[in-house]
Amino acid sequence: MKNIVILGATGSIGKSTLAVVDLHPDKFNIFALSAHTNWQKMLKLCQKYQPDFALMTNKDAALKLQNALDNNTQVLAGSKNLNEIASHPQTDFVMAAIVGAAGMASTLTAAKAGKRILLANKESLVLAGDIFINTVQENNAELIPVDSEHSAIFQCLQSGKSGLRKIELTASGGPFLHTPIKALKTITPDAACAHPNWSMGRKISVDSATLMNKGLEVIEAHYLFALNAEQISVVVHPQSIVHSCIHYTDGSTLSQLGNPDMRSVIAYALAYPKRIYSGVAPLDLSQNSPLEFYPPDLDKFACLRSAFAALKQGGNAMGALNAANEIAVEAFLNHKIKFLEIAKVIEKTLEKIDNVKVDTLEAILDNDKNARQIATQLL
Ligand code: NAD
Ligand code: MG
């Protein structure tokens, strides 16, 4: 029996993780759950799963949860306590599913404590990739990607890295793949969040619409698989059935396919190196529409170009890219800027920032704060 901690339990990945755990009560125990403000949803989860700990990072929400709960679950408050549950001696697996830079510290703590990390929070790697990967290695932690593309590559790489030429991340292209650039000027947040294939939280949905999600994933792949920018490419594949490919020098290409449902990825990460039932319908290729592949349009989706540029630049550029993106996406979701302005805020932030090395966590956090200030001024 493995004790599972879900950081970000009330989100989309949290929900899919619980759905897989529900299918295997003999293998997984929900030991601790965290959420930000939605205490009502957390209350329902506590009643169902009876975890040892329930943590609300928002202190008012924690108080409300405490007053409403009538079981033995211990309620914790505040983001510092994320570290307690991530590193608790009884914790086996940590699902890192908080959205944004807010998920970094606890994911790093899980790495320090040598846990198996099921990594959905790609922003941790974008912000602190070098430190994070070193911490995983030094503490014998296990890092299993929970991103469909990276899981696909991780699965394909089980056959080894020898003769690897490059990896190719597939991108659905989001809801605006075929929308002319002029029409993008008036896109609403709800339209941007209506993804054709995947059901996700609002921040990553906007990231998918701008293709910044793919940009963050290129950086994520750089750290996860120790590859440089030239070894990582992106291909648009609107059906989201082929979840990425790896190409070898002998001309072979390996790929992992499946219906677009994160439960497959999560089940793989939970059971690795075994495989367990995920509840996802088997893929029936004969019933699918034709599979299409296109090169990405970097003029229309400038965020992807900025992400490649930040990766090539290195140092603090990737953290600045992430920070500016978080600020710009939030402003867009709150109707403060237009859809196409997201890319502009990011580009301008990167122009204004001095490119320096960031070797310490302190420098990373300073850079994040500084880039957020610049992006906020640009709004
Ligand atoms: P979501 O918005 O649905 O859920 C986010 C979770 O984080 C919630 O439980 C929320 O309570 C918590 N949270 C939000 N702000 C917080 C804060 N400041 N402090 C602590 N907790 C906070 O997001 P999601 O779609 O589940 O995505 C989570 C992560 O997984 C993101 O990093 C995303 O990029 C990644 N991811 C998601 C998918 C997907 O299909 N949804 C796929 C791949 C990767
Ligand atoms: Mg992905």
Side-chain angles (χ1 to χ4, degrees):
M1 184 71 88
K2 296 292 181 192
N3 272 340
I4 313 284
V5 172
I6 306 180
L7 306 177
T10 52
S12 158
I13 292 287
K15 186 177 167 195
S16 297
T17 306
L18 290 166
V20 177
V21 166
D22 284 346
L23 299 171
H24 302 281
D26 55 322
K27 292 187 175 66
F28 307 114
N29 171 53
I30 296 299
F31 178 63
L33 299 172
S34 95
H36 193 38
T37 51
N38 193 343
W39 65 271
Q40 294 95 332
K41 203 163 174 182
M42 181 60 104
L43 179 62
K44 287 197 181 124
L45 296 182
C46 288
Q47 284 159 346
K48 179 167 176 190
Y49 294 99
Q50 309 273 329
D52 286 39
F53 300 100
L55 189 160
M56 301 303 301
T57 38
N58 178 289
K59 291 187 179 163
D60 289 341
L63 211 61
K64 288 185 177 132
L65 177 68
Q66 178 73 74
N67 290 337
L69 254 185
D70 58 359
N71 66 11
N72 288 332
T73 296
Q74 190 180 334
V75 177
L76 302 174
S79 52
K80 286 217 171 92
N81 276 318
L82 288 169
N83 299 320
E84 296 299 317
I85 56 175
S87 62
H88 195 287
Q90 280 172 264
T91 298
D92 295 308
F93 294 178
V94 176
M95 166 56 83
I98 289 174
V99 60
M104 184 185 74
S106 50
T107 311
L108 209 52
T109 301
K112 262 188 213 140
K115 306 297 183 190
R116 174 180 289 198
I117 302 162
L118 291 68
L119 185 72
N121 179 258
K122 61 191 85 179
E123 294 91 345
S124 297
L125 276 180
V126 175
L127 269 168
D130 285 323
I131 292 182
F132 189 51
I133 295 292
N134 286 341
T135 309
V136 165
Q137 285 167 355
E138 279 164 14
N139 297 284
N140 286 323
E142 272 184 298
L143 186 57
I144 319 277
V146 176
D147 208 341
S148 56
E149 300 75 4
H150 305 74
S151 175
I153 289 164
F154 185 88
Q155 292 182 47
C156 292
L157 281 177
Q158 299 300 310
S159 64
K161 240 179 156 183
S162 155
L164 181 72
R165 191 166 63 82
K166 69 162 190 173
I167 65 170
E168 193 166 30
L169 302 177
T170 49
S172 69
F176 310 130
L177 175 61
H178 299 300
T179 309
I181 195 159
K182 270 190 183 166
L184 290 184
K185 284 185 185 156
T186 52
I187 291 299
T188 62
D190 283 345
C193 289
H195 197 279
N197 307 336
W198 299 95
S199 147
M200 309 179 286
R202 280 172 84 79
K203 190 258 177 184
I204 184 176
S205 295
V206 176
D207 286 349
S208 297
T210 60
L211 257 66
M212 178 53 96
N213 182 49
K214 210 49 52 183
L216 298 177
E217 289 184 359
V218 167
I219 300 171
E220 183 185 8
H222 157 76
Y223 286 115
L224 278 175
F225 307 115
L227 299 170
N228 58 39
E230 287 71 30
Q231 292 170 295
I232 306 169
S233 65
V234 172
V235 64
V236 173
H237 165 47
Q239 290 76 24
S240 299
I241 295 292
V242 174
H243 295 309
S244 284
C245 314
I246 66 175
H247 299 272
Y248 286 105
T249 45
D250 62 4
S252 287
T253 295
L254 302 191
S255 180
Q256 181 257 346
L257 283 70
N259 285 316
D261 188 320
M262 289 305 288
R263 288 176 300 167
S264 294
V265 176
I266 292 164
Y268 182 80
L270 281 168
Y272 174 80
K274 294 186 178 156
R275 292 200 184 249
I276 54 170
Y277 179 59
S278 68
V280 177
L283 181 63
D284 182 349
L285 282 173
S286 68
Q287 295 302 308
N288 259 292
S289 55
L291 302 182
E292 301 164 285
F293 300 91
Y294 310 105
D297 179 344
L298 295 183
D299 292 324
K300 189 164 135 187
F301 298 109
C303 287
L304 180 56
R305 188 171 32 212
S306 292
F308 266 110
L311 173 58
K312 284 180 185 158
Q313 216 172 0
N316 62 341
M318 294 173 273
L321 172 98
N322 181 67
N325 182 53
E326 286 192 25
I327 294 292
V329 170
E330 199 184 322
F332 169 68
L333 286 172
N334 292 327
H335 303 270
K336 287 188 184 140
I337 61 168
K338 299 256 179 343
F339 183 74
L340 288 175
E341 287 167 343
I342 297 174
K344 291 201 177 124
V345 170
I346 295 163
E347 263 172 43
K348 290 236 153 64
T349 304
L350 287 175
E351 276 171 24
K352 280 180 183 273
I353 217 125
D354 293 326
N355 191 220
V356 290
K357 271 192 172 176
V358 276
D359 297 335
T360 63
L361 203 53
E362 203 184 0
I364 285 167
L365 293 173
D366 278 352
N367 177 52
D368 178 66
K369 199 169 149 195
N370 184 31
R372 277 169 201 271
Q373 273 166 2
I374 293 175
T376 305
Q377 279 160 13
L378 285 166
L379 293 179

